[in-house]
Amino acid sequence: MKKRSLISLVLMGTLSLALAACGEEETAGGSSGDSGGEKEKLRLVTDGAYAPMEYLDGGEVTGFGVDFAEAVVEEAGYEADIEVIGWEPIFVEIEGKTADLAVSSITINDERKETYDFSVPYYLSTNMIMVPEDSDVESGEDLKGKKIAVLNGSTGQEAAETIAGENSTDVLKFADNNLAIQELLAGGADAVIADNTIVEYYTQMNPEQKLKVVPDEDFADEFYGILFPKGSELKADFDEAIKAIIDNGTYTEIYQEWFGTEPDLETLKAQQ
Amino acid sequence: MDFRMDLVIDYMPFFLKGALYTIGVSLVGILLGTILGLLIGMGKIMRNKLLALPFILYITFFRGTPLFVQILLIHFGLIPLVIGQTNAIVAGIVALTLNAAAYIAEIFRAGIQSIDRGQMEAARSLGQTHAQAMRYVILPQAFKRMVPPLGNEFIVLLKDSSLLAVITVPELMYWGRAFQGQYYKIWEPYLTAALIYLILTLSMSYLLGRLEKRLATE
Amino acid sequence: MIKVVNLKKTFGDNEVLKDISVDIQPKEVVVVIGPSGSGKSTFLRCINLLESITDGHVYIEGVDITDKKTNINKIRTDVGMVFQQFNLFPHRTVLENITMSPMKVKKESPKVAKEKALVLLKKVGLVEKANAYPDSLSGGQKQRVAIARALALEPRIMLFDEPTSALDPEMVGEVLEVMKQLALEGMTMIVVTHEMGFAREVGDRVLFMDGGYIVEENVPSELFARPQHARTKSFLSKVL
């Protein structure tokens, strides 16, 4: 996992530089094609190690995010190949415009907005704390001085560093959430902070690990958006498409299929 | 390209702290690996093939599988199994040591086997036991020949220790990746890390070159 | 002194020594000659078990060295060996080469070992090289040090495995001179060599080996003057 993403990082870093100029023109020329005849084929990238959102199941990428992406691409009138490239390369590829869009449980924040464009929010998420069942941790404050495993560069990391201090060695930054969870199971960390989807899904799917999820009200609501290169003309089409599938019930259908509960559409729509 | 030198400078304390960890774990790894490697190398050249088998299997496993896999196995599997809970630095040092030992065992074996057979025969013909001949005649000569490949192994280990970032050993590459995760920058953290690695490996090569020269003239 | 009975040695399928029996008396100097591949060196190396013995027995002063219970390291201190390639220890000085085994094997004190070594170096004419490293010596000097090193254990038998074959011609004499001196002092010696002059002058007996057998043996004057076997004749006609 790490090795592959490192290689693709280097490759893509080089590629994105080389292709930057021509990529720009191509995207600009191509995305205006609303002639209706041939559907434009997009390159859609994802991390693929983020169950149940986007993950690999026997070589096939699947998950809520993937079903959502397929629905919204169709609604917007495009075609797309979904490619798993790892977390860090997403930002390299989108910035370098070698990929058209990324659906990868990417939290919308101001820092990222400086470099990228986001669609309207399509998913509501909160960071939560996962600890062993017998842990006495009741909130984020209780994690002071404890080892917290997080996904490198995630909002879970931000939450952890708010508690432990920026660049604290108590915050263990892993290349994906699975490794962070593994660290907790192996006893190298006292807690994991990650999106509720991740920790709730893992806790439910693996009752034998005897874990529990602890919420913290100080952890802000987060919204996932589709990531585009800055100034992408795709954004408008996809904003419309997201609203459309929420209104026509497709979104709720996919949500229920994956999480077994109703989505909080009101909070989501309020953000749009 | 917009290279944010200011971020690199802000982050420099972490790079330097990481570099110290890189040097530390590599140094401990090569030292423990040398001791273990000697024992395993000795084991491998035992005349009793059945007794030598475990050592041969050890070398085959650690040389035939990626260090990356070994690190994950040791960190998430072996260490929790042995001491109850995992610890990145312990796991990192164990992984580097076990891996280096396999390569050093081969360096050691090659070193011993490069010594002319006549040396052993002469020592034995003078009444020395096999162990005495090893101790006084073969090993002192073999060690001298082992210095250059051991030095290379150290440089390899220094670079390979970057893989420990995956289990969050706070070495150089870990901080490089943390930088990347924090600022979504590629060139700044990784070029800086690469430069520091280069300084470390070049310094090592220089020191080794001097050591080899001294040994050669001795 | 040395009794070899029906000695056989095979390397894999290759039978190098087929059936060797010989008796060597104290103070006797036995020279072994023969074409390459005849088994001369292997025969010599069997006498101090540098080669394991496939079949037969070797007795040294009545002790069967093929017996598993025999302490071969002890026997080897009584049987010195000099090699074609000298096999000096390059990481030790000349003096240390000589004192190492007396100190480590016979537990002699450094002082005693050093004194003895200097006497031996004087004997082979190399006292001034005591602190030199082997690499700085000529071939002849190296071989003389090797002889001194073997003598340091005060052996009663000396084995020489083609001691001059790796030397430049002008250095052969100095080594043979030392060996001759040793023979005069009454050392029991077995010498594998191509130096027929040495065999004739110093040897008490010459063994001619070929194809894994001792084909013929006799006092040097007889063997060289009147070889009995066709193979001996043919060999001697080539080397003389």
Side-chain angles (χ1 to χ4, degrees):
Chain A
M1 169 67 208
K2 170 161 171 285
K3 206 150 213 174
R4 194 204 55 208
S5 66
L6 270 182
I7 289 166
S8 39
L9 259 184
V10 173
L11 274 181
M12 289 313 156
T14 325
L15 258 183
S16 61
L17 276 184
L19 297 180
C22 50
E24 223 162 317
E25 282 164 31
E26 249 173 53
T27 314
S31 59
S32 63
D34 50 357
S35 49
E38 192 102 322
K39 281 184 181 176
E40 193 190 341
K41 191 145 189 168
L42 303 175
R43 184 156 185 270
L44 193 160
V45 293
T46 189
D47 164 31
Y50 210 64
M53 299 301 282
E54 300 87 18
Y55 64 103
L56 289 169
D57 182 4
E60 286 293 310
V61 62
T62 182
F64 169 83
V66 174
D67 287 354
F68 162 77
E70 279 167 355
V72 81
V73 164
E74 193 184 335
E75 181 68 34
Y78 293 90
E79 278 182 13
D81 277 337
I82 301 185
E83 214 173 308
V84 173
I85 62 170
W87 175 252
E88 287 157 3
I90 289 174
F91 297 90
V92 183
E93 290 228 26
I94 296 292
E95 189 176 2
K97 297 180 182 167
T98 53
D100 299 296
L101 71 167
V103 177
S104 197
S105 310
I106 303 166
T107 301
I108 303 169
N109 65 23
D110 291 341
E111 210 177 9
R112 288 174 182 163
K113 275 183 186 165
E114 282 178 22
T115 321
Y116 309 94
D117 275 351
F118 279 100
S119 69
V120 294
Y122 70 86
Y123 187 83
L124 167 63
S125 157
T126 322
N127 276 302
M128 287 197 184
I129 304 165
M130 182 163 72
V131 287
E133 234 169 42
D134 55 6
S135 165
D136 51 12
V137 169
E138 284 171 355
S139 72
E141 276 306 293
D142 296 337
L143 290 174
K144 273 217 166 84
K146 292 195 155 75
K147 297 270 185 201
I148 311 165
V150 299
L151 168 66
N152 188 24
S154 67
T155 54
Q157 176 188 321
E158 279 172 33
E161 292 194 329
T162 309
I163 298 165
E166 193 162 307
N167 289 319
S168 163
T169 44
D170 282 343
V171 179
L172 308 176
K173 302 163 188 175
F174 286 90
D176 65 50
N177 272 308
N178 304 335
L179 287 173
I181 293 172
Q182 210 57 51
E183 184 75 7
L184 174 67
L185 298 180
D190 302 297
V192 170
I193 298 182
D195 291 345
N196 61 327
T197 334
I198 302 289
V199 295
E200 280 172 348
Y201 180 78
Y202 189 87
T203 311
Q204 276 169 26
M205 296 300 284
N206 303 279
E208 76 285 357
Q209 303 287 5
K210 302 205 184 318
L211 298 166
K212 66 177 176 186
V213 175
V214 178
D216 184 316
E217 297 200 338
D218 291 345
F219 295 171
D221 279 349
E222 291 175 7
F223 297 91
Y224 294 168
I226 301 175
L227 192 75
F228 299 104
K230 196 84 188 159
S232 170
E233 292 180 16
L234 292 171
K235 177 176 155 53
D237 290 350
F238 277 82
D239 281 350
E240 284 314 306
I242 290 169
K243 286 174 185 163
I245 64 166
I246 288 175
D247 288 339
N248 70 18
T250 311
Y251 179 87
T252 306
E253 213 173 280
I254 298 171
Y255 195 99
Q256 281 178 329
E257 190 186 320
W258 281 98
F259 307 116
T261 55
E262 287 278 331
D264 181 357
L265 290 181
E266 265 173 46
T267 318
L268 196 59
K269 279 180 153 172
Q271 280 293 317
Q272 293 177 347
Chain B
M1 186 174 52
D2 163 34
F3 193 91
R4 294 282 302 276
M5 204 60 210
D6 56 321
L7 293 182
V8 173
I9 291 165
D10 277 356
Y11 222 79
M12 200 41 87
F14 297 104
F15 280 123
L16 294 181
K17 201 171 78 173
L20 283 181
Y21 268 96
T22 292
I23 296 169
V25 294
S26 309
L27 217 60
V28 176
I30 197 84
L31 288 177
L32 296 181
T34 301
I35 296 167
L36 187 63
L38 296 189
L39 297 175
I40 292 167
M42 289 275 221
K44 191 187 172 179
I45 55 176
M46 273 194 296
R47 276 161 294 187
N48 185 328
K49 287 288 158 247
L50 206 66
L51 289 179
L53 189 66
F55 300 99
I56 293 169
L57 290 179
Y58 178 95
I59 294 170
T60 307
F61 177 80
F62 279 97
R63 284 173 30 122
T65 59
L67 176 59
F68 188 61
V69 176
Q70 294 162 18
I71 289 169
L72 293 177
L73 271 176
I74 289 165
H75 180 66
F76 291 120
L78 184 70
I79 297 297
L81 201 69
V82 176
I83 62 172
Q85 60 177 57
T86 202
N87 177 306
I89 292 175
V90 172
I93 287 173
V94 169
L96 291 185
T97 299
L98 295 185
N99 183 269
Y103 286 91
I104 291 169
E106 284 294 278
I107 290 172
F108 183 69
R109 181 194 57 76
I112 287 179
Q113 291 182 346
S114 75
I115 304 300
D116 184 56
R117 248 168 61 99
Q119 291 290 309
M120 175 58 91
E121 291 187 347
R124 297 306 305 272
S125 80
L126 291 165
Q128 295 184 21
T129 62
H130 186 83
Q132 284 175 323
M134 273 288 173
R135 163 93 178 71
Y136 300 115
V137 176
I138 306 297
L139 290 183
Q141 297 183 60
F143 273 129
K144 218 163 146 179
R145 295 192 193 177
M146 283 168 61
V147 168
L150 266 181
N152 286 336
E153 177 61 24
F154 183 62
I155 290 172
V156 168
L157 205 63
L158 199 93
K159 291 187 289 179
D160 281 357
S161 70
S162 62
L163 291 171
L164 298 177
V166 75
I167 58 167
T168 71
V169 174
E171 46 69 67
L172 183 48
M173 193 61 194
Y174 175 77
W175 289 111
R177 291 176 61 91
F179 184 132
Q180 193 277 331
Q182 190 168 344
Y183 298 108
Y184 295 92
K185 293 285 178 187
I186 297 301
W187 295 98
E188 290 85 348
Y190 295 142
L191 265 186
T192 308
L195 189 69
I196 297 175
Y197 277 115
L198 204 58
I199 291 169
L200 292 181
T201 53
L202 287 179
S203 322
M204 265 314 296
S205 302
Y206 172 75
L207 289 175
L208 269 172
R210 291 194 46 167
L211 179 65
E212 278 171 40
K213 240 185 210 155
R214 263 189 56 186
L215 281 175
T217 53
E218 223 172 58
Chain C
M1 187 100 188
I2 303 174
K3 192 175 164 72
V4 179
V5 183
N6 302 122
L7 173 63
K8 292 193 178 75
K9 172 66 186 175
T10 54
F11 291 108
D13 294 334
N14 184 19
E15 194 170 30
V16 179
L17 298 180
K18 287 173 178 154
D19 188 3
I20 305 281
S21 294
V22 67
D23 243 331
I24 291 162
Q25 304 307 314
K27 303 195 176 184
E28 193 178 11
V29 175
V30 173
V31 178
V32 184
I33 61 171
S36 49
S38 60
K40 311 181 296 280
S41 282
T42 306
F43 165 61
L44 201 67
R45 292 159 61 85
C46 281
I47 292 173
N48 69 352
L49 281 194
L50 278 185
E51 301 293 349
S52 61
I53 290 171
T54 309
D55 196 16
H57 296 274
V58 175
Y59 301 89
I60 291 179
E61 299 188 300
V63 179
D64 185 356
I65 66 165
T66 58
D67 187 340
K68 287 249 184 297
K69 278 174 263 173
T70 304
N71 179 356
I72 186 60
N73 296 319
K74 177 78 188 62
I75 299 289
R76 282 179 180 143
T77 61
D78 286 334
V79 184
M81 177 131 184
V82 174
F83 299 87
Q84 181 178 348
Q85 296 296 339
F86 331 125
N87 296 343
L88 293 181
F89 306 138
H91 61 302
R92 297 296 187 98
T93 64
V94 164
L95 192 71
E96 289 165 344
N97 261 274
I98 299 171
T99 57
M100 180 196 284
S101 279
M103 282 163 56
K104 301 301 177 195
V105 178
K106 286 190 147 179
K107 310 291 176 203
E108 283 180 13
S109 73
K111 191 166 168 288
V112 171
K114 189 181 169 188
E115 277 167 12
K116 285 201 210 163
L118 287 172
V119 170
L120 287 167
L121 278 176
K122 192 163 179 217
K123 184 169 172 172
V124 299
L126 287 170
V127 180
E128 76 283 4
K129 296 288 186 189
N131 295 313
Y133 279 90
D135 283 348
S136 66
L137 303 182
S138 72
Q141 289 171 330
K142 282 180 190 168
Q143 196 61 297
R144 284 188 278 154
V145 171
I147 293 171
R149 181 176 69 174
L151 291 174
L153 288 163
E154 297 166 345
R156 272 166 291 182
I157 298 164
M158 283 288 284
L159 309 177
F160 291 86
D161 188 3
E162 306 202 22
T164 57
S165 298
L167 297 180
D168 291 336
E170 73 272 19
M171 293 172 183
V172 169
E174 63 191 70
V175 172
L176 291 180
E177 196 52 45
V178 171
M179 290 167 63
K180 200 159 117 189
Q181 186 61 36
L182 211 53
L184 285 175
E185 288 167 14
M187 177 65 76
T188 310
M189 292 166 52
I190 305 180
V191 184
V192 172
T193 188
H194 295 293
E195 295 296 328
M196 297 305 151
F198 177 85
R200 207 192 300 258
E201 190 184 346
V202 183
D204 296 312
R205 187 159 38 135
V206 177
L207 309 184
F208 172 69
M209 283 184 69
D210 192 15
Y213 293 102
I214 295 175
V215 175
E216 185 171 351
E217 59 176 298
N218 211 332
V219 293
S221 51
E222 280 298 307
L223 188 111
F224 287 121
R226 281 173 285 280
Q228 300 299 307
H229 282 264
R231 277 190 282 175
T232 320
K233 281 179 198 162
S234 137
F235 174 74
L236 287 176
S237 71
K238 279 176 209 149
V239 297
L240 287 178

